[in-house]
Amino acid sequence: HNGEIKLKGGEVSTDKKGQVSGGNFAVDMKTLSNQDLKDADSNKKLVGHLSSDDFFKVDKFPESTFVIKSVTAKAGSKDEYVVKGDFTMIGNTHPIEFPAKISADKSTLTGNAKLTIERLKWNLQYGSGSIFKTLTADKIINDTFELNLNLVAKK
């Protein structure tokens, strides 16, 4: 499935050269939505299940956060970087790193990245064939999921 989760807020720090040097972001887990199920009942059921204690426990953990620890330019590239930081989801914090494209003009800083989250690190065990060995193939949910990040910051 494909969906969206909106930012609640955040900020980006830059150094004297205008390069990203830090930042933090808060994700409003209550905005979790599904984009591909067109049937309203099926969509509501999926979002409700993803928000439940089986998955993201949104009532207990309404916010996820990411704190940037370092941003390192890739050699020979003007806009490609490796971002490292601490990602907190469902009350668990783990370090992550991912490639990102970051660009800036006079008034805007834009960042785009695609990263893979290993959900078991955050105790997202529901439907995992790695944990529940008796699940049939049609009931197994991948142990990873992709996040596509698109961030725009005003200077």
Side-chain angles (χ1 to χ4, degrees):
H1 293 288
N2 295 305
E4 186 176 273
I5 306 172
K6 296 181 182 191
L7 281 181
K8 192 174 190 177
E11 63 184 23
V12 177
S13 305
T14 56
D15 60 20
K16 292 178 183 178
K17 296 179 183 177
Q19 301 297 314
V20 175
S21 58
N24 61 73
F25 305 96
V27 178
D28 185 353
M29 297 302 293
K30 290 184 177 185
T31 66
L32 187 137
S33 65
N34 172 269
Q35 305 297 316
D36 59 77
L37 287 177
K38 302 305 178 199
D39 177 71
D41 289 337
S42 297
N43 191 305
K44 184 177 179 179
K45 184 177 177 183
L46 175 63
V47 170
H49 194 205
L50 290 172
S51 299
S52 78
D53 285 352
D54 284 342
F55 287 97
F56 295 106
K57 301 176 179 150
V58 172
D59 285 340
K60 294 176 190 167
F61 302 101
E63 186 175 285
S64 293
T65 60
F66 180 65
V67 177
I68 297 172
K69 297 295 184 180
S70 69
V71 179
T72 307
K74 286 188 177 182
S77 177
K78 291 181 182 179
D79 66 352
E80 293 183 30
Y81 298 83
V82 174
V83 178
K84 294 181 182 180
D86 291 331
F87 183 46
T88 301
M89 179 173 62
I90 317 169
N92 298 293
T93 303
H94 295 284
I96 60 172
E97 86 175 58
F98 53 90
K101 287 193 174 198
I102 302 171
S103 59
D105 60 28
K106 291 181 182 180
S107 63
T108 307
L109 183 80
T110 303
N112 297 296
K114 184 180 211 174
L115 56 143
T116 301
I117 299 295
E118 297 174 30
R119 69 183 180 103
L120 296 179
K121 286 183 179 180
W122 285 269
N123 293 323
L124 276 167
Q125 297 179 356
Y126 184 89
S128 169
S130 301
I131 302 292
F132 303 102
K133 303 293 186 188
T134 59
L135 288 176
T136 57
D138 64 328
K139 300 292 183 194
I140 292 175
I141 299 171
N142 288 338
D143 287 342
T144 61
F145 62 89
E146 286 185 355
L147 287 177
N148 292 307
L149 305 176
N150 298 300
L151 303 171
V152 177
K154 302 288 182 188
K155 291 184 181 179

